[in-house]
């Protein structure tokens, strides 16, 4: 049977075997934890605590009243040690709340299950989801309460749980589906109460047959009518919103629009699980699963860890490096962010830590473009990366926009297939950042 998929894309080595069978290990850190205030794609939070304050698990550390934002909550109990600038994953310094962990993990009393949550007005879920600090845990970190509040004129037909996890090496979503399938299905059932006319779909690439089987069994066991599990063809970047919508619904989707414009809302596996845990169990979003992997890591693992934990602690929990890595990424090899240091905290968007040796990093010299067209064939957005890259180098940003550069989803497919090893994705990333900076400057005048 031919499985649904999208146009374009590539087939990089999956390299998931390192952690595919590693059960999620719980880790409780000691010492200080660091909470950067920017942790969602919307308005960054400002600290609402001060040095010396006593905090509990679920105490609000940072907040912003803007519509597109989500609060930062403490993942441990202890004392606020400082509010100061600390280095974060990209190597930038951001305002952070530093908490000295007392090791008791005492929970704030206000975090209780929503009473009679299966029968109350589902709109009450939205406040709980926002208060719990839930964002898109797939990496986008878009505030979930906002995503679940589309304009009234948008009729939602599909609620899609994204279990694709097409990024090589990563297994955090795969393991969640294997180990907590009921919580994922129950999370989707709650969201469907907000959109009773929608169809629930759990989308999984077909290279995870055990996850497909486990989720199908959970749907049947829980009597989840209106929810189906849909296997998809294995192709990168299948998990991107545009590709997922086109594969599942057959609709063309303009990346600058919102999924709600075509009747879709897409939630990550972990996000869906956390919705259930916040509403039914009274647990705020203060932990996440991180895949620590790569051929430089002694014992790769999948680890459930409180937000704010040092990445160095996770590497040490995995036995450290067995060989000095030449490249360390936050995330996977295609869309991950290069890390200058592992002395940075785990945040909501940290799906993986990937440490590669020189052998697997495949660092090769950049040569002149061969005009082979492979990047054009690979681009799922139909762009011409070989045109966009020189436009950015020449700072011709208006022409960059005209050529569709802002539609680039930065999936890395063009760079992966380029035989000249040109940094095509980075060029688009730089171009988009420059255009956005110019737009902000113009709006401020």
């Amino acid at each position: 049977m031919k499985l649904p998929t999208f146009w374009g894309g590539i087939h990089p080595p999956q390299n998931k075997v390192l952690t595919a069978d590693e059960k999620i290990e719980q880790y409780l850190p000691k010492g200080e934890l660091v909470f950067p205030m920017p942790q969602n794609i919307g308005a960054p939070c400002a600290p609402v605590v001060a040095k010396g304050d006593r905090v509990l698990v679920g105490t609000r550390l940072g907040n912003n009243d803007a519509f597109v934002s989500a609060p930062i909550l403490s993942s441990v109990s202890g004392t606020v040690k400082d509010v100061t600038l600390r280095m974060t994953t990209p190597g930038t310094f951001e305002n952070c709340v530093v908490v000295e962990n007392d090791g008791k993990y005492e929970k704030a009393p206000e975090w209780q299950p929503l009473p009679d949550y299966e029968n109350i007005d589902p709109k009450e879920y939205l406040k709980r989801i926002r208060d719990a600090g839930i964002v898109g845990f797939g990496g986008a970190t878009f505030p979930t309460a906002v995503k679940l509040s589309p304009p009234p004129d948008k009729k939602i037909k599909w609620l899609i749980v994204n279990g694709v996890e097409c990024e090589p090496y990563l297994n955090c979503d795969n393991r969640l589906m294997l180990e907590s399938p009921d919580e994922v299905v129950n999370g989707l059932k709650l969201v469907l109460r907000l959109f009773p006319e929608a169809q629930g779909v759990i989308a999984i690439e077909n290279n995870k047959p055990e996850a497909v089987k486990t989720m199908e069994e959970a749907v049947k066991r829980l009597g989840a009518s209106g929810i189906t599990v849909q296997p998809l063809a294995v192709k990168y970047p299948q998990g991107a919103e545009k590709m997922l919508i086109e594969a599942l619904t057959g609709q063309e989707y303009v990346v600058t629009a919102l999924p709600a414009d075509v009747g879709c809302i897409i939630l990550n596996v972990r996000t869906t699980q956390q919705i259930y845990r916040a509403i039914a169990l009274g647990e705020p979003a203060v932990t996440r699963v991180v895949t620590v992997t790569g051929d430089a890591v002694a014992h790769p693992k999948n680890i459930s860890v409180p937000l704010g934990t040092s990445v160095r602690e996770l590497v040490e929990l995995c036995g450290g490096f067995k060989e000095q890595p030449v490249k360390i990424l936050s995330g996977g090899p295609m869309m991950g962010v290069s890390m200058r240091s592992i002395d940075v905290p785990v945040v909501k968007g940290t799906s993986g830590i990937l440490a590669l040796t020189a052998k697997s990093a495949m660092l090769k010299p950049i040569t002149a473009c061969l005009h082979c067209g492979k990047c054009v064939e690979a681009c799922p957005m139909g762009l011409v990366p070989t045109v966009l890259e020189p436009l950015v180098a020449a700072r011709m940003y208006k022409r960059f926009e005209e050529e569709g550069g802002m539609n680039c989803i930065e999936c890395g497919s063009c760079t992966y297939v380029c035989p000249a090893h040109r940094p095509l994705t980075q060029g688009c990333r730089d171009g988009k950042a420059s255009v956005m900076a110019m737009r902000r400057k113009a709006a401020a005048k």
Side-chain angles (χ1 to χ4, degrees):
M1 182 179 69
K2 187 177 181 181
L3 296 173
T5 190
F6 63 95
W7 179 87
I10 58 176
H11 295 87
Q14 293 295 296
N15 291 320
K16 291 179 180 285
V17 67
L18 290 172
T19 56
D21 295 326
E22 295 290 329
K23 291 185 178 179
I24 298 170
E25 184 173 326
Q26 307 291 323
Y27 177 62
L28 297 178
K30 298 177 181 177
E32 69 173 33
L33 285 88
V34 179
F35 302 85
M37 290 296 100
Q39 286 203 45
N40 73 84
I41 202 170
C45 292
V48 294
V49 291
K51 184 177 180 179
D53 284 355
R54 165 84 171 150
V55 298
L56 304 174
V57 175
T59 297
R60 189 170 290 194
L61 303 178
N63 191 47
N64 190 313
D65 290 331
F67 179 60
V68 184
S69 190
I72 308 293
L73 310 177
S74 181
S75 60
V76 297
S77 55
T79 306
V80 175
K81 185 177 178 180
D82 206 350
V83 179
T84 184
L85 293 176
R86 288 287 183 93
M87 183 185 286
T88 59
T89 297
T92 56
F93 284 79
E94 304 287 353
N95 203 19
C96 296
V97 173
V98 182
V99 176
E100 186 67 31
N101 181 10
D102 63 11
K104 298 178 181 176
Y105 291 90
E106 186 179 351
K107 187 176 171 184
E110 63 266 29
W111 284 106
Q112 300 294 330
L114 275 182
D116 197 22
Y117 68 89
E118 291 181 304
N119 298 306
I120 62 174
D121 184 343
K123 291 181 179 176
E124 293 187 35
Y125 297 164
L126 298 175
K127 183 177 185 305
R128 171 57 64 99
I129 290 168
R130 180 184 174 101
D131 288 347
I134 300 176
V135 300
F137 285 101
T141 66
F142 190 85
T144 302
V146 179
K147 181 176 282 190
L148 296 178
S149 305
D153 62 328
K154 307 298 181 187
K155 185 177 180 181
I156 301 304
K157 302 176 183 176
W158 291 277
L159 276 169
I160 302 169
V161 174
N162 187 351
V164 172
E165 199 166 51
C166 60
E167 184 78 32
Y169 284 95
L170 302 186
N171 271 300
C172 47
D173 289 348
N174 180 32
R175 291 308 312 181
L176 269 179
M177 289 188 286
L178 291 172
E179 298 181 36
S180 303
D182 289 10
E183 291 188 343
V184 176
V185 174
N186 281 328
L188 180 54
K189 287 174 66 178
L190 292 176
V191 178
L192 280 167
R193 290 197 67 217
L194 284 162
F195 307 98
E197 297 181 15
Q199 168 71 38
V201 182
I202 300 172
I204 307 171
E205 274 194 338
N206 207 34
N207 60 352
K208 307 175 189 65
E210 286 301 315
V212 172
K213 179 183 175 185
T214 301
M215 295 308 299
E216 286 177 337
E217 291 174 348
V219 168
K220 184 177 180 180
R221 181 171 58 252
L222 296 171
S225 60
I227 297 178
T228 57
V229 178
Q230 177 61 60
L232 297 170
V234 179
K235 189 163 61 169
Y236 180 87
Q238 186 78 262
E241 284 188 339
K242 174 180 169 59
M243 288 73 223
L244 206 48
I245 289 172
E246 291 182 1
L248 290 173
T249 73
Q251 298 181 102
E252 281 287 332
Y253 170 60
V254 180
V255 75
T256 51
L258 294 173
D261 291 334
V262 290
C264 296
I265 288 178
I266 301 175
L267 299 170
N268 170 260
V269 166
R270 165 61 180 147
T271 302
T272 311
Q273 180 206 29
Q274 182 59 57
I275 288 172
Y276 170 75
R277 298 185 74 84
I279 293 172
L281 307 180
E283 294 188 3
V286 295
T287 65
R288 71 153 300 139
V289 179
V290 180
T291 297
V292 182
T293 186
D295 63 342
V297 178
H299 303 291
K301 297 176 183 284
N302 298 297
I303 308 169
S304 178
V305 55
L307 299 177
T309 302
S310 168
V311 169
R312 181 177 292 280
E313 287 186 56
L314 300 190
V315 172
E316 291 172 351
L317 186 67
C318 294
F321 296 128
K322 62 182 179 182
E323 183 177 337
Q324 189 61 32
V326 299
K327 180 180 282 189
I328 304 176
L329 298 165
S330 174
M334 303 302 294
M335 298 187 75
V337 176
S338 291
M339 299 177 67
R340 289 171 52 191
S341 168
I342 58 173
D343 292 314
V344 295
V346 171
V347 293
K348 295 178 182 180
T350 308
S351 55
I353 301 298
L354 175 61
L356 300 173
T357 65
K359 179 181 178 183
S360 56
M362 297 187 295
L363 300 176
K364 297 179 180 177
I366 299 170
T367 60
C369 174
L370 303 175
H371 301 287
C372 63
K374 290 185 177 180
C375 59
V376 180
E377 293 177 5
C379 179
M381 298 303 297
L383 302 176
V384 184
T386 49
V387 169
L388 298 173
E389 186 202 20
L391 290 176
V392 174
R395 300 186 178 183
M396 298 172 65
Y397 299 120
K398 187 173 186 303
R399 178 79 186 285
F400 173 79
E401 288 186 79
E402 292 171 351
E403 294 289 342
M406 298 304 286
N407 290 335
C408 174
I409 59 172
E410 304 174 23
C411 66
S413 297
C414 54
T415 300
Y416 177 79
V417 299
C418 179
H421 314 297
R422 301 200 63 77
L424 300 170
T425 305
Q426 187 60 46
C428 280
R429 189 174 289 145
D430 293 344
K432 289 172 64 179
S434 297
V435 170
M436 292 304 296
M438 288 189 292
R439 288 179 182 177
R440 286 193 294 270
K441 186 175 180 180
K445 287 183 179 178

